[in-house]
Amino acid sequence: LIKIAITEGQNVTQGDLLFEIDPRPFKNALQSAEADLQKSRLQLETARTQVARYRLLTTDQMVSKEQFEKISDTARALEAEVLSNESRLATAKLQLEFCSIRAPLTGRTGNMTIHEGDLVRVNEAGGLLVTINQLNPIYVTFGVPQQYLASLTRYRATGTLHVNVVPPGLDERPEQGELTFMDNTVDASTGTLKLKGTFPNATQRLWPAQFAKVTVTLDSPEALTVPSSAIQTSQTGQYVYVVKSDKTAELRPVVVERLAQADAVISKGLAAGETVVTDGQLRVIPGKPVDVKDAATPGGAGRGGKSGEGEGKGKKKPKITFRWWDKK
């Protein structure tokens, strides 16, 4: 290795010079290939001249057909030799070009353990010169449980799915990208499907091999939501306590489609504007009156010795999301 043209941690562009190795053996091989090609071309030219001369003599029956065929075979053999030498010359030029090692992609260089003057060999164990990682754009790899495959396929068919990534740190602002890859098989060992998102990463907040929180947004429809604290579970399923207009409590079975942060998306069982109990459900009795107490009010005993804190939410537009931690 006679020259190192980069430094560790440097941003490089595709085609930039990285290293140079000693070109002298390859220049000698190139000159030898050029000489062999020139020699074979001269021999071919002479053979073709003889073929033309013997063709006339054969017409006049001054030489035998066997002699003419022998001269013709020699010319054809020299044509093949010329093609072989041209290939050797092209290979020698390519090997000489490889003496200048250039960046195959745009990215950032990593740690280097070699120095100018070191001996480098092809396929040598531990002979890695440098690793270049692409940062713009960057790809985030993560996995989702296989039960979400149908939803991902259905929503992806209708348009581009957006992916948000929040890297660890003080800044919780997410980086926005698009889902660009779904694997063609489910990992049998983990039961997950591998996905990839592409991010511009203009500020380089995302870093190779970094862990981050990934969110895939499937859709943003209008949906009825209540605080997830209002959802109760029994042997027959999930339910909520609804405070009716006469201030009595009603146990209402509901169907929870999914959880979105602190909200639960209700697909069946509630209407927009209804008030639900979000705290003190253990002291609520269906059909009995309920006093709606402010959170700052001490105690919470109402008529019938029951307490509850009512809170209702109408329609809003929550994002349908999956959340998990995975690695880029």
Side-chain angles (χ1 to χ4, degrees), residues 17-321:
L17 180 65
L18 304 178
F19 306 97
E20 286 186 1
I21 62 176
D22 189 358
R24 290 175 296 178
F26 303 97
K27 287 182 178 179
N28 294 337
L30 177 61
Q31 292 176 354
S32 177
E34 289 174 342
D36 291 342
L37 177 59
Q38 184 177 0
K39 177 181 177 181
S40 59
R41 283 176 175 173
L42 290 174
Q43 291 174 344
L44 176 59
E45 184 179 352
T46 301
R48 285 175 175 173
T49 302
Q50 289 181 343
V51 168
R53 184 184 303 114
Y54 273 74
R55 181 177 289 109
L56 293 175
L57 295 176
T58 303
T59 303
D60 296 336
Q61 296 184 352
M62 298 182 66
V63 297
S64 63
K65 290 183 178 180
E66 288 78 9
Q67 289 178 305
F68 176 71
E69 290 177 356
K70 183 177 180 180
I71 296 298
S72 299
D73 291 343
T74 302
R76 286 193 292 269
L78 289 172
E79 288 177 354
E81 185 177 344
V82 168
L83 292 176
S84 176
N85 288 334
E86 287 177 346
S87 178
R88 286 182 53 216
L89 178 62
T91 301
K93 289 181 178 179
L94 184 61
Q95 293 295 329
L96 183 60
E97 290 180 3
F98 287 161
C99 292
S100 298
I101 303 174
R102 300 185 178 275
L105 74 162
T106 299
R108 188 181 182 92
T109 61
N111 179 53
M112 292 188 296
T113 59
I114 45 91
H115 308 85
E116 292 182 0
D118 287 353
L119 184 64
V120 292
R121 297 182 179 89
V122 177
N123 298 328
E124 182 180 11
L128 182 65
L129 300 181
V130 71
T131 298
I132 300 176
N133 282 321
Q134 178 177 295
L135 298 178
N136 309 96
I138 197 168
Y139 305 100
V140 179
T141 302
F142 54 98
V144 299
Q146 60 183 344
Q147 59 263 31
Y148 296 123
L149 174 60
S151 298
L152 285 166
T153 304
R154 176 164 61 92
Y155 284 106
R156 195 184 185 201
T158 62
T160 301
L161 298 184
H162 298 283
V163 183
N164 289 343
V165 168
V166 179
L170 298 178
D171 187 2
E172 295 294 328
R173 176 175 51 88
E175 292 288 327
Q176 298 181 348
E178 297 179 352
L179 183 67
T180 54
F181 171 77
M182 289 179 57
D183 204 355
N184 59 0
T185 183
V186 174
D187 189 341
S189 61
T190 61
T192 59
L193 177 69
K194 180 185 291 185
L195 306 176
K196 288 184 182 179
T198 302
F199 293 77
N201 198 29
T203 59
Q204 296 187 355
R205 293 179 63 215
L206 303 180
W207 213 249
Q210 181 185 35
F211 286 88
K213 186 177 180 180
V214 183
T215 303
V216 178
T217 302
L218 299 182
D219 199 3
S220 298
E222 281 196 353
L224 183 66
T225 66
V226 297
S228 57
S229 59
I231 305 298
Q232 302 295 303
T233 303
S234 67
Q235 293 181 349
T236 58
Q238 294 176 310
Y239 66 93
V240 297
Y241 285 112
V242 178
V243 180
K244 299 192 296 184
S245 58
D246 59 357
K247 299 299 182 180
T248 60
E250 176 189 355
L251 189 150
R252 184 85 57 82
V254 294
V255 176
V256 179
E257 183 176 347
R258 64 183 58 84
L259 296 177
Q261 296 182 358
D263 293 330
V265 179
I266 306 298
S267 61
K268 186 178 179 181
L270 283 178
E274 290 188 298
T275 301
V276 297
V277 178
T278 61
D279 189 19
Q281 289 95 332
L282 293 178
R283 292 182 289 174
V284 175
I285 299 177
K288 297 295 183 178
V290 174
D291 284 342
V292 178
K293 297 294 184 179
D294 185 78
T297 303
R303 287 172 292 176
K306 313 303 175 187
S307 67
E309 184 169 335
E311 181 178 345
K313 288 193 177 182
K315 289 189 176 181
K316 60 186 294 187
K317 288 189 176 182
K319 293 181 178 179
I320 301 174
T321 59

